[in-house]
Amino acid sequence: MGTDSSLLHTPLYTLHEDFGAKMVPFAGYAMPLQYADGIMAEHRHVRAHVGLFDVSHMGQVRIRARSGNVEDAARALERLVPADIVALKPGRQRYTQFTNTSGGILDDLMVIRQEDCLLLVVNAACKQADFAHMQDNLGDCLVEQLEDRALLALQGPDAEGVLSSFDADASSMRFMDVCMLEIDGARCIVSRSGYTGEDGFEISLSAKDADRVARQLLQHQQVKLIGLGARDSLRLEAGLCLYGSDIDETTTPVEAALEWSIQKSRRTGGARAGGFPGADIILDQLENGVTRRRVGLLPEGRAPVRHGAPLFADAAMADRVGEVTSGAFGPTVEAPVAMGYVATPHAATGTALTAELRARAVATRVAALPLVPARFKR
């Protein structure tokens, strides 16, 4: 990559260099694309064993109500997101989106409820805009960007065994639980969640502890460092959205098939229905449907169909009905995998479509998401 001085470094930059990472620019940071084994081997290692990801480029934010009451902070955040934050119990986490007045998605995020505050994890490319958005709209709260934190993800079927060797409490956690664990003397806020479809943990810790803790985790023989390349193919097989590709300001949560993240209390007739940006549009879509939907796609052959490829209802490629938003080769599926938006009449699982790849017609069918079954510990 060279030494591009304009790129930011995470607290694990030296570790990546020590392990021979191929570094690339991503969201303003120098990030590891892959290590010596390559993307396919890294992907398979996470599915079979356990991988360690550096996701310290992501934004971590603390929200406290000026009243001191965490429920007031939850009610305030509900002005910006369509999820039920008030009902979120301490030590639990929930996925949601920041929406705009047209129902589009400004970012997707995780919200953690602690005893005295809310903790948010937002996407790296959006974190400054998200922080400004919260400061502008949550005047009754103190919104604090946690610049001195790192974030690690330990993902795969062996993750529990590795983490519980440092702190036995890890083994009693369930999917989306959050608790304080001690790893090699560092106090960490740990959630049982991730972006791979595998069981795993996300570990927020002080930046000064990150390099040491990562190296301690890597002392376990089954733990390998995993780069952004495998992170992308893993999340794609798992049917998880990438902000800026599969969701953005022009896609609503309902079009994106994320309506599962809008709880009953925020829907029409619910205890706190609406009240978030674009609520009129989103609640109407929940009742009356949408004209397009995000779907899984399985193209035939071996060549991946990439972001931006048009989708047609016919083999002659005359009747355009959608577009691919993410595509790659799926090492677990052992075939190309993709996601995209298609007109609702063509969105049913099993529907035959045609994707255009370098002016060539590629037979494609709509597939249920996730393309690889999730293995969360519920």
Side-chain angles (χ1 to χ4, degrees), residues 56-71:
S56 304
H57 59 312
M58 296 184 78
Q60 298 185 63
V61 179
R62 182 189 291 133
I63 301 178
R64 294 181 193 271
R66 293 185 189 276
S67 67
N69 183 346
V70 67
E71 187 162 310

Side-chain angles (χ1 to χ4, degrees), residues 72-251:
D72 291 341
R75 286 183 186 279
L77 186 59
E78 285 191 358
R79 298 199 297 265
L80 301 183
V81 303
D84 185 336
I85 307 300
V86 171
L88 191 59
K89 291 179 169 59
R92 292 289 291 165
Q93 174 174 265
R94 183 161 275 174
Y95 170 81
T96 190
Q97 309 83 32
F98 288 129
T99 52
N100 63 21
T101 51
S102 56
I105 300 172
L106 297 171
D107 197 9
D108 61 337
L109 63 146
M110 286 291 194
V111 181
I112 293 166
R113 167 83 182 259
Q114 291 196 295
E115 292 291 349
D116 60 341
C117 66
L118 302 175
L119 293 177
L120 277 55
V121 179
V122 302
N123 284 301
C126 305
K127 64 184 178 182
Q128 300 306 334
D130 290 348
F131 185 61
H133 181 56
M134 287 184 276
Q135 285 207 306
D136 289 348
N137 291 284
L138 302 178
D140 46 350
C141 295
L142 298 164
V143 183
E144 182 186 358
Q145 207 165 356
L146 304 177
E147 307 264 21
D148 59 345
R149 306 287 294 177
L151 193 63
L152 309 177
L154 190 69
Q155 299 283 299
D158 294 342
E160 181 187 300
V162 170
L163 202 57
S164 57
S165 74
F166 291 93
D167 191 323
D169 287 348
S171 61
S172 61
M173 295 173 70
R174 292 291 180 269
F175 182 58
M176 299 295 253
D177 279 351
V178 183
C179 69
M180 193 73 78
L181 299 182
E182 191 165 304
I183 309 173
D184 193 47
R187 282 173 58 74
C188 306
I189 300 165
V190 178
S191 64
R192 194 156 197 163
S193 57
Y195 193 51
T196 62
E198 296 297 323
D199 182 26
F201 301 86
E202 291 174 304
I203 303 163
S204 171
L205 71 170
S206 172
K208 66 177 170 47
D209 295 325
D211 183 279
R212 186 186 83 253
V213 167
R215 290 178 196 269
Q216 283 298 315
L217 291 166
L218 288 163
Q219 291 292 310
H220 282 254
Q221 195 179 338
Q222 64 268 51
V223 181
K224 287 193 171 183
L225 282 167
I226 312 293
L228 291 179
R231 188 168 186 252
D232 192 54
S233 54
L234 288 159
R235 69 91 195 165
L236 181 48
E237 288 184 339
L240 301 171
C241 294
L242 173 64
Y243 190 82
S245 294
D246 309 300
I247 49 174
D248 59 27
E249 293 185 27
T250 70
T251 61

Side-chain angles (χ1 to χ4, degrees), residues 77-83 97-106 251-254 262-263 265-270 272-290:
L77 186 59
E78 285 191 358
R79 298 199 297 265
L80 301 183
V81 303
Q97 309 83 32
F98 288 129
T99 52
N100 63 21
T101 51
S102 56
I105 300 172
L106 297 171
T251 61
T252 72
V254 186
I262 305 174
Q263 285 74 30
S265 61
R266 306 301 309 278
R267 298 185 181 210
T268 303
R272 294 182 312 288
F276 52 89
D280 51 340
I281 293 165
I282 292 169
L283 296 184
D284 178 72
Q285 290 180 345
L286 285 169
E287 298 285 319
N288 300 308
V290 287

